[in-house]
Amino acid sequence: MSASATALSLKHIVKRYGSYVAVDGIDLDVGQGEFLTLLGPSGCGKTTTLRMIGGMERPDAGTIEIKGRRVDRLPSHKRDTATVFQSGALFPHMTVAENVAYGLKMRGVPNGEIGPRVTRMLDVVRMGDFAGRYPADMSGGQRQRVALARAMVVEPGILLFDEPMSALDLKLKLELRAEIRRLHEEMGFTAVFVTHDQGEAMTLSDRVAVLNKGRIEQIAPPVEVFERPASEFVYTFVGESCVLELGGRPLGEGARLGPVPAGRQRLYLRPHHLHVVEAEGQDNSIRATVTAVEYMGGGYRIHAETPAGNLFFDTSRAPVIGPDHILAIGWSSADATYFPAS
Amino acid sequence: MSARRSLSAEWLLLPAIAFTTVVFGWPLLILLRMSFNQHPPDGIYVEAWSLENYVAVLTEPANLSAVFDTLYIALVTAVVTVAAAFLFAQFVWLRQGKRRAMLLALALGPMLVSEISVIIGWRMVLPSNGLLSWSLFASGLIDRKFNLLGTEFAAVLGLAYISMPYCFFTILGVLNGIDRTLLTASGDLGASPWRTFFKVLLPLAKGGIASAFTQAFVFTMGIYATTNALGPDGLWTVGYEIQRQMLSRRDWPLASALAVVLVLLIALVALGVQALRHRKAPRHG
């Protein structure tokens, strides 16, 4: 989904709290109709960035433009954004219908239009039968659907999501995720979605921006972030990884490595690229001592140690090996990622 | 099983009920009985079953005006106190940490001094040679001193000062139960701060406001020293009149009838506020 026009543009945004720099110079362009996710660990600045887009925080430096209009000095209620909050933040003294109508009323939509738009939007999120209920009488998943309807109904220039699923259990999470995907396809809104859950980031986004310490480490489509991580941080944050320190201690007898870049290096491997080597002739392999075998439900995870670091990989068959077994673990050169050791 | 449990719960309430009955109910009954007695010119009371005291309370202009003055001053004070307490509570609610602790300590201030000290304090601030008028005059901000002592303003100020902490903590308690994200969400959906205040914060704090209002109102109805010492001479509250009848005129039956009317008025207001509050009961999570 390529972006035709820029809906949102952040230029060198900085936010400090005292001496702590929460957001350290973020540049970001989001295309019309694009679904962009800010992914990162807690404290990486993703929520602060979202709040600055929504007008709940003011940047200390930089500019924010929504559809070509500069908004970084505007208060929240004058910006063309609407947010789905982590807690839902539904007004407890209003019914579902009143909650959804709230934004339309505040934006001065004529009364005659409000009713039909509310009804239509509640049908879209499949909450039509709940119009007269109060938030306290609904489940967490239902409340989040209403929160979604309340934000979408005003047809904001940018729809903001502040970890909207982190308070839900796994089943509801997956359900709501599918729902947001469907709605994005149907309605084509522009979205900035904040999460620390890479599964959400991978399945929902057109592009993912991986944040660390207030900076963007990589911004790319999900596949690229996973397959071609731009930095060590991205590699380790997105997906599972094993790391071997090279150039230090000897790798032990029978170790074979493909071409390694010069200097001290760290070798990163995905567990699903690892396998047990039966015969010689593999590009890359290393001898490892099994330390533990865990049953994972439907498969087993084998942990093993080598002189250069620990490895783990999954196998679906019940392993015949146990702790203290020595085996050769191999991978192909194409799956090896090297970063210079710092 | 559940029937037995609720029965034992009732038994547990018994000591409290017994205590309330003995300590509050019994004197109230004596008061009620006294209000039907008669006052002889040469004594305190003679036993009788007469309504003459109630007739006196409800028809004699002096007594009636005491009732209306009391209601009036209590109403004004309750409104002023609740408004001030709400603003202060909201200010504290939106703050965190050390600042908040300091503000809470400040709010407790009026409770640390007795009513008499409060009166003496304001009597030093309010007259034309008092702290306020004098310092404004001395600093050249005004060119004529002014007196505020003995005015309705002074009475309301003193009463509000005394009932403020109770109202403040009641309202703060309710505000603490409100998710602050709701205010953010309201602004995010396009509501100005004013509309957020009236559409979200105020409706959610309604219960606390009603309780605080009742508290201030009931409290003020019963106080007479502050009203008397700071307010104008013409402002006679029922409390003051009861005290005068009881101690100076030795007319216990009339004092009792006044007290019964005061208790009924307070009960009526408390019930009225409750009824208003539950008229359209929203359900909270």
Side-chain angles (χ1 to χ4, degrees):
Chain A
M1 223 174 287
S2 73
S4 48
T6 307
L8 171 71
S9 174
L10 272 62
K11 288 201 176 68
H12 210 75
I13 291 296
V14 176
K15 179 72 187 177
R16 295 182 205 93
Y17 295 106
S19 61
Y20 175 70
V21 184
V23 174
D24 190 8
I26 279 188
D27 291 291
L28 188 65
D29 281 316
V30 183
Q32 188 63 45
E34 188 181 8
F35 200 112
L36 181 112
T37 297
L38 303 177
L39 175 69
S42 57
C44 72
K46 57 188 191 298
T47 297
T48 308
T49 305
L50 189 88
R51 289 174 65 84
M52 286 191 285
I53 299 169
M56 300 137 204
E57 303 273 357
R58 250 185 189 201
D60 293 315
T63 59
I64 300 172
E65 282 179 13
I66 294 176
K67 296 193 170 154
R69 180 166 162 251
R70 201 172 154 185
V71 299
D72 47 87
R73 298 290 149 200
L74 288 182
S76 178
H77 66 275
K78 289 190 179 149
R79 293 195 193 186
D80 192 15
T81 57
T83 309
V84 182
F85 293 90
Q86 184 173 357
S87 63
L90 295 181
F91 304 120
H93 59 301
M94 296 182 199
T95 62
V96 164
E98 284 165 349
N99 262 287
V100 177
Y102 190 83
L104 294 173
K105 274 188 199 152
M106 295 305 140
R107 286 166 191 239
V109 172
N111 272 329
E113 252 180 69
I114 293 178
R117 276 176 76 173
V118 169
T119 310
R120 207 182 60 223
M121 193 50 71
L122 283 177
D123 286 338
V124 166
V125 299
R126 300 176 202 173
M127 290 295 290
D129 297 339
F130 290 78
R133 294 250 207 136
Y134 283 92
D137 303 333
M138 299 189 299
S139 71
Q142 290 167 337
R143 281 203 282 259
Q144 279 314 56
R145 280 164 188 257
V146 175
L148 206 58
R150 187 178 69 174
M152 283 193 306
V153 77
V154 299
E155 291 167 11
I158 317 283
L159 197 54
L160 304 174
F161 293 87
D162 185 10
E163 309 205 30
M165 299 183 239
S166 60
L168 302 179
D169 62 47
L170 187 63
K171 189 168 166 285
L172 284 175
K173 217 180 240 190
L174 295 179
E175 232 176 83
L176 194 65
R177 193 157 98 183
E179 193 78 9
I180 292 175
R181 239 183 110 81
R182 176 180 73 85
L183 291 169
H184 182 242
E185 274 159 22
E186 276 174 20
M187 324 214 13
F189 49 75
T190 308
V192 177
F193 188 98
V194 159
T195 186
H196 60 266
D197 181 326
Q198 44 172 299
E200 283 171 15
M202 294 291 146
T203 50
L204 287 170
S205 324
D206 296 318
R207 280 192 304 158
V208 178
V210 184
L211 269 74
N212 183 33
K213 294 179 183 162
R215 290 170 181 273
I216 294 180
E217 295 257 342
Q218 184 173 13
I219 177 159
V223 178
E224 206 178 312
V225 167
F226 190 81
E227 306 280 341
R228 288 187 294 283
S231 69
E232 212 172 335
F233 174 82
V234 176
Y235 196 104
T236 51
F237 189 75
V238 180
E240 292 182 308
S241 58
C242 306
V243 59
L244 297 179
E245 300 278 350
L246 305 182
R249 281 194 280 168
L251 296 180
E253 211 182 313
R256 289 165 59 93
L257 288 181
V260 181
R264 277 171 73 94
Q265 294 287 332
R266 281 202 186 113
L267 165 57
Y268 282 89
L269 295 162
R270 297 284 185 208
H272 67 267
H273 289 142
L274 298 178
H275 53 266
V276 178
V277 180
E278 313 275 324
E280 296 291 312
Q282 181 79 25
D283 310 349
N284 301 272
S285 72
I286 190 166
R287 280 206 193 155
T289 312
V290 175
T291 53
V293 176
E294 291 172 332
Y295 179 58
M296 301 283 289
Y300 296 83
R301 171 158 291 186
I302 296 169
H303 295 266
E305 68 183 7
T306 78
N310 297 333
L311 298 174
F312 64 89
F313 60 99
D314 297 337
T315 163
S316 55
R317 287 169 297 162
V320 290
I321 47 174
D324 296 333
H325 267 81
I326 292 173
L327 35 87
I329 297 173
W331 60 92
S332 73
S333 291
D335 296 328
T337 306
Y338 294 93
F339 290 107
S342 44
Chain B
M1 169 88 185
S2 77
R4 198 152 92 204
R5 190 183 294 161
S6 70
L7 202 66
S8 65
E10 278 164 27
W11 281 109
L12 284 173
L13 276 175
L14 199 65
I17 293 169
F19 182 82
T20 313
T21 311
V22 173
V23 175
F24 292 101
W26 186 240
L28 216 57
L29 276 179
I30 295 174
L31 187 77
L32 194 65
R33 177 66 192 92
M34 179 61 73
S35 69
F36 294 108
N37 287 334
Q38 284 173 321
H39 175 66
D42 54 349
I44 292 174
Y45 68 92
V46 288
E47 294 217 356
W49 285 103
S50 154
L51 282 174
E52 68 184 53
N53 297 312
Y54 288 99
V55 172
V57 172
L58 298 173
T59 57
E60 272 178 31
N63 291 328
L64 265 183
S65 89
V67 169
F68 283 119
D69 279 358
T70 307
L71 280 172
Y72 164 74
I73 211 82
L75 187 71
V76 173
T77 305
V79 170
V80 168
T81 313
V82 167
F86 190 93
L87 292 178
F88 189 39
Q90 195 193 346
F91 185 75
V92 173
W93 178 51
L94 295 173
R95 258 146 207 87
Q96 311 270 346
K98 220 174 187 175
R99 272 256 213 67
R100 187 187 167 110
M102 268 164 60
L103 288 166
L104 286 178
L106 190 69
L108 279 170
M111 292 172 99
L112 297 176
V113 286
S114 69
E115 192 187 347
I116 300 302
S117 318
V118 170
I119 292 170
I120 294 170
W122 284 116
R123 284 183 79 99
M124 292 195 281
V125 172
L126 297 171
S128 55
N129 272 322
L131 195 65
L132 181 68
S133 153
W134 182 83
S135 56
L136 285 176
F137 178 75
S139 63
L141 287 168
I142 52 170
D143 37 61
R144 254 181 55 193
K145 291 187 191 169
F146 58 92
N147 171 50
L148 289 172
L149 191 65
T151 61
E152 278 182 13
F153 170 83
V156 170
L157 185 68
L159 291 168
Y161 183 84
I162 293 170
S163 32
M164 184 77 151
Y166 304 94
C167 290
F168 167 77
F169 283 104
T170 304
I171 293 172
L172 185 65
V174 171
L175 290 181
N176 279 335
I178 298 175
D179 177 7
R180 275 183 251 181
T181 319
L182 296 176
L183 307 187
T184 314
S186 173
D188 183 63
L189 287 164
S192 64
W194 272 111
R195 294 180 90 179
T196 298
F197 181 83
F198 285 110
K199 295 270 181 187
V200 178
L201 190 57
L202 219 46
L204 288 175
K206 214 165 64 175
I209 292 169
S211 306
F213 180 87
T214 312
Q215 246 169 359
F217 193 87
V218 168
F219 208 56
T220 312
M221 290 260 280
I223 294 177
Y224 69 87
T226 303
T227 325
N228 196 40
L230 299 177
D233 293 342
L235 191 69
W236 276 25
T237 61
V238 177
Y240 181 72
E241 189 60 16
I242 291 171
Q243 178 262 158
R244 200 175 68 93
Q245 293 295 343
M246 198 87 184
L247 302 179
S248 312
R249 308 229 11 244
R250 305 248 154 207
D251 190 345
W252 290 15
L254 182 59
S256 301
L258 280 164
V260 169
V261 168
L262 192 65
V263 168
L264 285 177
L265 280 174
I266 288 172
L268 222 65
V269 168
L271 288 174
V273 172
Q274 285 299 314
L276 265 179
R277 188 180 152 190
H278 291 294
R279 197 182 45 186
K280 188 187 155 207
R283 276 171 288 181
H284 291 254

